[in-house]
Amino acid sequence: MLLNPLTFHAPKTVEEAIELYSTLGEVRLLAGGTFLLNSLKLLKKRGIKTPQHVISLRKISVLQGVKVTGDTLTIGAMTVINDLFSSPHLTDNFAILRTVCRNISTNPIRNMATVGGNLTSRYTWTEMGAPLIALEAVMHFCGTNHTTESITVEDFFKNFAKTEKILTHITIRRDPAAALAYQRVKKLSDVDVPLLAVCIRTHFNDGCFTRTRASINCTTSFAKRDLVLEEFLNGKKTANGIAQEALAHLDTSIYDTRSDDYKKSMFRISIKKAIEDLTRRGQT
Ligand SMILES: Cc1cc2nc3c(=O)[nH]c(=O)nc-3n(C[C@H](O)[C@H](O)[C@H](O)COP(=O)(O)OP(=O)(O)OC[C@H]3O[C@@H](n4cnc5c(N)ncnc54)[C@H](O)[C@@H]3O)c2cc1C
């Protein structure tokens, strides 16, 4: 199916993109296009009006790439998943992102889909949210009149991932002492989308879990922290059996909403595996 006629804009700077975005009516931003183009076709099929203008961010070079400055990792919003995966900068706590990227969909999608599109597309199941919450990542936006705004990924998802601005980049602080574990279960075997994802970050202090962050993507609502689990783990010894014990200390509202028995069971298995993984590392 062909798209409805539209005017395609391809600015080369963020300033130009902001100017267009704030002055044109009926406009949508285009990143990798893996969701947007399909959704415009769906709107057309349903007889719903589609936007007259599309602004592609692809030619804005400052929005692309991964770099490290001092102790901060910066990921441009237009960085495609495969480029993040192969970045040599993914060391220390950043390294968990390689595992996350590797699990996303298929190679053709990973070559087109961007980190920014993954975060801002407002699909509850896309999976960059949980690890970036665990990493205490911050999203940086540019809005009308070139105002900038920074918000933690955690707060962005608390606010239902709503934005009228252009996401320019994401920053994460290096933390060599952090240990992270990521578990993800896929939903289908043919088109790979996640059923759930769990990311736990902790530090070991005197053989105990400290400053733990457990972020969960239940895929039916946006990624969020399980504060009950965090509270249970913090201060506990990294002893065998702690993972099993932790399963009695979960914020059940996250896991029970729109979950069948299979999904609930996979949550428990994933959380247990993540804690066991961290426990092993804490004991060495
Ligand atoms: C078949 C298929 C399988 C997939 N499987 C997975 C999976 O397993 N795991 C997973 O996590 N994801 C998966 N995805 C999602 C994918 O990773 C991308 O997140 C998603 O397709 C959108 O990224 P995009 O760059 O193509 O964005 P686009 O489709 O171009 O844009 C999506 C939306 O985000 C907005 N947007 C994009 N960039 C910005 C920006 N910089 N600032 C403000 N708004 C912006 C656009 O306006 C648009 O509304 C899958 C997608 C497909 C099509």
Side-chain angles (χ1 to χ4, degrees), residues 28-37 57 77 81 103-105 109 112-114 116-118 120-121 125-128 163 165-168 184 191-194:
R28 292 292 291 274
L29 295 172
L30 178 74
T34 55
F35 273 165
L36 185 76
L37 299 180
L57 303 175
I81 305 289
N103 284 313
I104 289 179
S105 192
I109 296 290
M112 285 182 75
T114 64
N118 192 288
T120 56
S121 57
W125 55 266
T126 56
E127 57 201 295
M128 277 288 166
T163 184
K165 301 184 168 80
I166 297 179
L167 174 68
T168 52
R184 179 247 205 214
V191 180
D192 191 11
V193 292

Short mmCIF file of all heavy atoms in Angstrom, two decimals, residues 28-37 57 77 81 103-105 109 112-114 116-118 120-121 125-128 163 165-168 184 191-194, ligand 1:
data_model
loop_
_atom_site.label_atom_id
_atom_site.label_comp_id
_atom_site.label_asym_id
_atom_site.label_seq_id
_atom_site.Cartn_x
_atom_site.Cartn_y
_atom_site.Cartn_z
N ARG A 28 4.95 14.63 11.66
CA ARG A 28 5.51 13.53 12.48
C ARG A 28 7.01 13.45 12.24
O ARG A 28 7.49 13.75 11.15
CB ARG A 28 4.88 12.18 12.08
CG ARG A 28 3.40 12.07 12.43
CD ARG A 28 3.13 12.01 13.91
NE ARG A 28 3.59 10.77 14.53
CZ ARG A 28 2.87 9.66 14.58
NH1 ARG A 28 1.65 9.63 14.07
NH2 ARG A 28 3.35 8.57 15.15
N LEU A 29 7.72 13.02 13.29
CA LEU A 29 9.17 12.81 13.15
C LEU A 29 9.44 11.40 12.65
O LEU A 29 8.74 10.46 13.05
CB LEU A 29 9.87 13.00 14.50
CG LEU A 29 9.82 14.39 15.13
CD1 LEU A 29 10.38 14.33 16.55
CD2 LEU A 29 10.60 15.38 14.29
N LEU A 30 10.44 11.26 11.82
CA LEU A 30 10.83 9.95 11.30
C LEU A 30 12.26 9.65 11.73
O LEU A 30 13.16 10.44 11.49
CB LEU A 30 10.74 9.96 9.78
CG LEU A 30 11.16 8.69 9.04
CD1 LEU A 30 10.09 7.62 9.18
CD2 LEU A 30 11.39 8.98 7.56
N ALA A 31 12.44 8.49 12.39
CA ALA A 31 13.80 8.07 12.77
C ALA A 31 14.21 6.93 11.83
O ALA A 31 14.50 7.17 10.66
CB ALA A 31 13.82 7.68 14.23
N GLY A 32 14.15 5.68 12.31
CA GLY A 32 14.46 4.54 11.43
C GLY A 32 13.30 4.20 10.51
O GLY A 32 13.47 3.54 9.49
N GLY A 33 12.10 4.59 10.90
CA GLY A 33 10.91 4.36 10.07
C GLY A 33 10.26 3.01 10.25
O GLY A 33 9.24 2.72 9.64
N THR A 34 10.85 2.15 11.11
CA THR A 34 10.34 0.78 11.20
C THR A 34 8.94 0.69 11.83
O THR A 34 8.21 -0.25 11.57
CB THR A 34 11.31 -0.12 12.01
OG1 THR A 34 11.53 0.47 13.29
CG2 THR A 34 12.63 -0.29 11.29
N PHE A 35 8.58 1.66 12.64
CA PHE A 35 7.22 1.73 13.18
C PHE A 35 6.39 2.76 12.43
O PHE A 35 5.24 2.51 12.08
CB PHE A 35 7.23 2.15 14.66
CG PHE A 35 7.38 1.03 15.63
CD1 PHE A 35 7.72 1.30 16.95
CD2 PHE A 35 7.16 -0.29 15.26
CE1 PHE A 35 7.85 0.28 17.87
CE2 PHE A 35 7.29 -1.32 16.17
CZ PHE A 35 7.65 -1.04 17.48
N LEU A 36 6.99 3.92 12.22
CA LEU A 36 6.20 5.06 11.74
C LEU A 36 5.54 4.78 10.38
O LEU A 36 4.34 5.00 10.22
CB LEU A 36 7.05 6.33 11.65
CG LEU A 36 6.19 7.53 11.28
CD1 LEU A 36 5.37 8.02 12.46
CD2 LEU A 36 7.01 8.66 10.72
N LEU A 37 6.31 4.27 9.44
CA LEU A 37 5.75 4.12 8.08
C LEU A 37 4.61 3.12 8.09
O LEU A 37 3.57 3.33 7.46
CB LEU A 37 6.86 3.72 7.10
CG LEU A 37 7.98 4.78 6.99
CD1 LEU A 37 9.05 4.34 6.02
CD2 LEU A 37 7.42 6.15 6.58
N LEU A 57 14.98 12.60 10.62
CA LEU A 57 16.13 13.06 11.41
C LEU A 57 17.43 12.42 10.93
O LEU A 57 18.49 12.64 11.49
CB LEU A 57 15.90 12.71 12.90
CG LEU A 57 14.61 13.27 13.53
CD1 LEU A 57 14.47 12.76 14.96
CD2 LEU A 57 14.62 14.79 13.51
N ALA A 77 20.40 9.98 19.60
CA ALA A 77 19.06 9.40 19.45
C ALA A 77 18.92 8.62 18.14
O ALA A 77 18.18 7.65 18.06
CB ALA A 77 18.02 10.50 19.51
N ILE A 81 20.39 0.41 16.43
CA ILE A 81 20.65 -0.62 17.46
C ILE A 81 21.95 -1.38 17.17
O ILE A 81 22.75 -1.60 18.07
CB ILE A 81 19.46 -1.63 17.53
CG1 ILE A 81 18.12 -0.91 17.77
CG2 ILE A 81 19.72 -2.73 18.54
CD1 ILE A 81 17.90 -0.32 19.10
N ASN A 103 19.58 -8.93 21.57
CA ASN A 103 18.31 -9.65 21.67
C ASN A 103 17.16 -8.98 20.92
O ASN A 103 16.09 -9.54 20.81
CB ASN A 103 17.92 -9.79 23.14
CG ASN A 103 18.73 -10.86 23.82
OD1 ASN A 103 18.87 -11.96 23.29
ND2 ASN A 103 19.29 -10.55 24.98
N ILE A 104 17.37 -7.77 20.46
CA ILE A 104 16.26 -7.06 19.82
C ILE A 104 16.03 -7.58 18.41
O ILE A 104 16.92 -7.54 17.56
CB ILE A 104 16.52 -5.53 19.81
CG1 ILE A 104 16.40 -4.98 21.24
CG2 ILE A 104 15.58 -4.80 18.87
CD1 ILE A 104 16.65 -3.50 21.39
N SER A 105 14.85 -8.10 18.18
CA SER A 105 14.37 -8.45 16.84
C SER A 105 15.41 -9.14 15.96
O SER A 105 16.12 -10.03 16.42
CB SER A 105 13.85 -7.17 16.17
OG SER A 105 13.15 -7.51 15.01
N ILE A 109 16.01 -5.28 11.21
CA ILE A 109 15.39 -4.28 12.09
C ILE A 109 16.48 -3.55 12.89
O ILE A 109 16.50 -2.33 13.00
CB ILE A 109 14.37 -4.93 13.07
CG1 ILE A 109 13.18 -5.53 12.31
CG2 ILE A 109 13.90 -3.92 14.13
CD1 ILE A 109 12.25 -4.53 11.68
N MET A 112 18.09 -0.73 11.13
CA MET A 112 17.28 0.47 10.82
C MET A 112 16.76 1.17 12.07
O MET A 112 16.76 2.40 12.15
CB MET A 112 16.06 0.06 9.98
CG MET A 112 16.36 -0.25 8.54
SD MET A 112 14.85 -0.65 7.68
CE MET A 112 14.11 0.97 7.51
N ALA A 113 16.29 0.39 13.03
CA ALA A 113 15.63 0.96 14.22
C ALA A 113 16.64 1.72 15.07
O ALA A 113 17.77 1.26 15.28
CB ALA A 113 15.00 -0.15 15.04
N THR A 114 16.24 2.87 15.56
CA THR A 114 17.15 3.71 16.35
C THR A 114 16.86 3.59 17.85
O THR A 114 15.75 3.22 18.25
CB THR A 114 17.00 5.18 15.94
OG1 THR A 114 15.66 5.60 16.27
CG2 THR A 114 17.24 5.39 14.45
N GLY A 116 16.61 6.14 19.81
CA GLY A 116 15.61 7.17 20.09
C GLY A 116 14.20 6.71 19.74
O GLY A 116 13.25 6.93 20.50
N GLY A 117 14.07 6.04 18.59
CA GLY A 117 12.76 5.53 18.18
C GLY A 117 12.26 4.48 19.15
O GLY A 117 11.07 4.41 19.47
N ASN A 118 13.19 3.66 19.65
CA ASN A 118 12.82 2.62 20.61
C ASN A 118 12.23 3.24 21.87
O ASN A 118 11.26 2.75 22.44
CB ASN A 118 14.06 1.78 20.92
CG ASN A 118 13.73 0.51 21.66
OD1 ASN A 118 13.40 0.55 22.83
ND2 ASN A 118 13.82 -0.63 20.98
N THR A 120 10.98 6.48 22.26
CA THR A 120 9.90 7.47 22.13
C THR A 120 8.68 6.97 21.38
O THR A 120 7.70 7.70 21.26
CB THR A 120 10.41 8.73 21.40
OG1 THR A 120 10.95 8.32 20.14
CG2 THR A 120 11.47 9.48 22.19
N SER A 121 8.73 5.74 20.88
CA SER A 121 7.62 5.28 20.02
C SER A 121 6.34 5.00 20.82
O SER A 121 5.29 4.78 20.23
CB SER A 121 8.04 4.05 19.22
OG SER A 121 8.46 3.04 20.10
N TRP A 125 6.16 -2.34 24.91
CA TRP A 125 6.99 -3.54 24.91
C TRP A 125 8.41 -3.32 24.40
O TRP A 125 9.25 -4.22 24.50
CB TRP A 125 6.31 -4.68 24.13
CG TRP A 125 5.93 -4.33 22.73
CD1 TRP A 125 4.71 -3.87 22.32
CD2 TRP A 125 6.74 -4.39 21.56
NE1 TRP A 125 4.71 -3.65 20.97
CE2 TRP A 125 5.94 -3.96 20.47
CE3 TRP A 125 8.05 -4.76 21.30
CZ2 TRP A 125 6.42 -3.89 19.17
CZ3 TRP A 125 8.54 -4.69 20.00
CH2 TRP A 125 7.72 -4.26 18.96
N THR A 126 8.71 -2.18 23.81
CA THR A 126 10.09 -2.00 23.33
C THR A 126 11.02 -1.99 24.55
O THR A 126 10.65 -1.53 25.62
CB THR A 126 10.25 -0.72 22.51
OG1 THR A 126 9.83 0.37 23.29
CG2 THR A 126 9.48 -0.77 21.21
N GLU A 127 12.23 -2.51 24.38
CA GLU A 127 12.92 -2.94 25.59
C GLU A 127 14.14 -2.15 26.05
O GLU A 127 14.85 -2.58 26.95
CB GLU A 127 13.28 -4.42 25.50
CG GLU A 127 14.11 -4.80 24.31
CD GLU A 127 13.98 -6.30 24.02
OE1 GLU A 127 14.41 -7.08 24.87
OE2 GLU A 127 13.46 -6.66 22.96
N MET A 128 14.39 -0.99 25.44
CA MET A 128 15.51 -0.18 25.93
C MET A 128 15.21 0.42 27.30
O MET A 128 16.12 0.77 28.06
CB MET A 128 15.82 0.95 24.95
CG MET A 128 16.69 0.52 23.80
SD MET A 128 18.36 0.24 24.39
CE MET A 128 19.05 -0.62 23.02
N THR A 163 6.06 13.09 24.71
CA THR A 163 6.91 14.24 24.43
C THR A 163 6.47 14.97 23.17
O THR A 163 5.95 14.34 22.25
CB THR A 163 8.41 13.86 24.31
OG1 THR A 163 9.15 15.06 24.14
CG2 THR A 163 8.69 12.93 23.16
N LYS A 165 8.80 17.07 22.01
CA LYS A 165 10.12 17.60 21.66
C LYS A 165 10.91 16.56 20.88
O LYS A 165 10.48 15.42 20.73
CB LYS A 165 10.88 17.96 22.94
CG LYS A 165 10.15 19.00 23.79
CD LYS A 165 11.00 19.37 24.97
CE LYS A 165 10.46 20.59 25.69
NZ LYS A 165 9.36 20.32 26.58
N ILE A 166 12.10 16.97 20.42
CA ILE A 166 12.97 16.03 19.71
C ILE A 166 14.00 15.48 20.70
O ILE A 166 14.72 16.25 21.35
CB ILE A 166 13.69 16.72 18.53
CG1 ILE A 166 12.65 17.20 17.50
CG2 ILE A 166 14.69 15.77 17.88
CD1 ILE A 166 13.24 17.92 16.29
N LEU A 167 14.03 14.17 20.83
CA LEU A 167 15.06 13.54 21.67
C LEU A 167 16.38 13.65 20.91
O LEU A 167 16.47 13.23 19.75
CB LEU A 167 14.71 12.07 21.92
CG LEU A 167 15.77 11.25 22.66
CD1 LEU A 167 15.93 11.71 24.11
CD2 LEU A 167 15.43 9.76 22.62
N THR A 168 17.38 14.23 21.54
CA THR A 168 18.66 14.39 20.84
C THR A 168 19.67 13.31 21.26
O THR A 168 20.36 12.76 20.42
CB THR A 168 19.27 15.79 21.09
OG1 THR A 168 19.31 16.02 22.51
CG2 THR A 168 18.46 16.87 20.40
N ARG A 184 15.54 -11.69 29.43
CA ARG A 184 14.48 -11.28 28.51
C ARG A 184 13.86 -12.53 27.93
O ARG A 184 14.56 -13.50 27.63
CB ARG A 184 15.16 -10.44 27.43
CG ARG A 184 14.29 -9.93 26.37
CD ARG A 184 14.65 -10.59 25.07
NE ARG A 184 14.24 -9.70 23.98
CZ ARG A 184 13.80 -10.17 22.83
NH1 ARG A 184 13.73 -11.44 22.58
NH2 ARG A 184 13.44 -9.31 21.88
N VAL A 191 8.29 -13.48 14.52
CA VAL A 191 8.63 -12.06 14.67
C VAL A 191 9.04 -11.88 16.12
O VAL A 191 8.25 -12.10 17.03
CB VAL A 191 7.42 -11.14 14.37
CG1 VAL A 191 7.82 -9.68 14.52
CG2 VAL A 191 6.90 -11.41 12.98
N ASP A 192 10.29 -11.50 16.33
CA ASP A 192 10.78 -11.51 17.70
C ASP A 192 10.44 -10.23 18.46
O ASP A 192 11.07 -9.21 18.26
CB ASP A 192 12.29 -11.73 17.70
CG ASP A 192 12.79 -12.02 19.10
OD1 ASP A 192 11.93 -12.25 19.98
OD2 ASP A 192 14.00 -12.01 19.33
N VAL A 193 9.45 -10.32 19.31
CA VAL A 193 9.15 -9.20 20.21
C VAL A 193 9.16 -9.74 21.64
O VAL A 193 8.88 -10.91 21.86
CB VAL A 193 7.79 -8.52 19.89
CG1 VAL A 193 7.83 -7.82 18.56
CG2 VAL A 193 6.65 -9.50 19.94
N PRO A 194 9.53 -8.91 22.61
CA PRO A 194 9.67 -9.46 23.97
C PRO A 194 8.32 -9.66 24.68
O PRO A 194 7.38 -8.90 24.47
CB PRO A 194 10.48 -8.38 24.68
CG PRO A 194 10.21 -7.13 23.94
CD PRO A 194 9.91 -7.51 22.53
C1 LIG B 1 9.20 -6.40 13.25
C2 LIG B 1 9.69 -5.60 14.41
C3 LIG B 1 10.24 -6.27 15.51
C4 LIG B 1 10.72 -5.52 16.60
N1 LIG B 1 11.22 -6.19 17.67
C5 LIG B 1 11.69 -5.50 18.73
C6 LIG B 1 12.23 -6.17 19.85
O1 LIG B 1 12.36 -7.37 19.91
N2 LIG B 1 12.65 -5.39 20.90
C7 LIG B 1 12.55 -4.02 20.89
O2 LIG B 1 12.92 -3.38 21.85
N3 LIG B 1 12.05 -3.38 19.82
C8 LIG B 1 11.62 -4.08 18.75
N4 LIG B 1 11.10 -3.40 17.69
C9 LIG B 1 11.06 -1.94 17.76
C10 LIG B 1 12.32 -1.32 17.17
O3 LIG B 1 13.42 -1.64 17.99
C11 LIG B 1 12.24 0.21 17.14
O4 LIG B 1 12.23 0.71 18.42
C12 LIG B 1 11.03 0.76 16.57
O5 LIG B 1 10.80 0.04 15.39
C13 LIG B 1 11.06 2.28 16.34
O6 LIG B 1 12.34 2.76 15.99
P1 LIG B 1 12.58 3.65 14.69
O7 LIG B 1 13.91 4.24 14.82
O8 LIG B 1 12.32 2.85 13.46
O9 LIG B 1 11.47 4.77 14.88
P2 LIG B 1 10.37 5.35 13.86
O10 LIG B 1 9.48 4.25 13.40
O11 LIG B 1 11.00 6.18 12.82
O12 LIG B 1 9.60 6.31 14.87
C14 LIG B 1 8.78 5.79 15.90
C15 LIG B 1 8.16 6.93 16.68
O13 LIG B 1 9.13 7.55 17.52
C16 LIG B 1 9.17 8.96 17.30
N5 LIG B 1 10.59 9.38 17.34
C17 LIG B 1 11.62 8.71 16.77
N6 LIG B 1 12.78 9.34 17.03
C18 LIG B 1 12.46 10.42 17.79
C19 LIG B 1 13.24 11.45 18.39
N7 LIG B 1 14.57 11.50 18.26
N8 LIG B 1 12.60 12.38 19.13
C20 LIG B 1 11.25 12.35 19.30
N9 LIG B 1 10.46 11.41 18.73
C21 LIG B 1 11.07 10.45 18.00
C22 LIG B 1 8.58 9.15 15.89
O14 LIG B 1 7.96 10.39 15.76
C23 LIG B 1 7.57 8.03 15.82
O15 LIG B 1 6.33 8.43 16.34
C24 LIG B 1 10.65 -4.12 16.58
C25 LIG B 1 10.11 -3.44 15.47
C26 LIG B 1 9.64 -4.15 14.38
C27 LIG B 1 9.11 -3.40 13.20
#
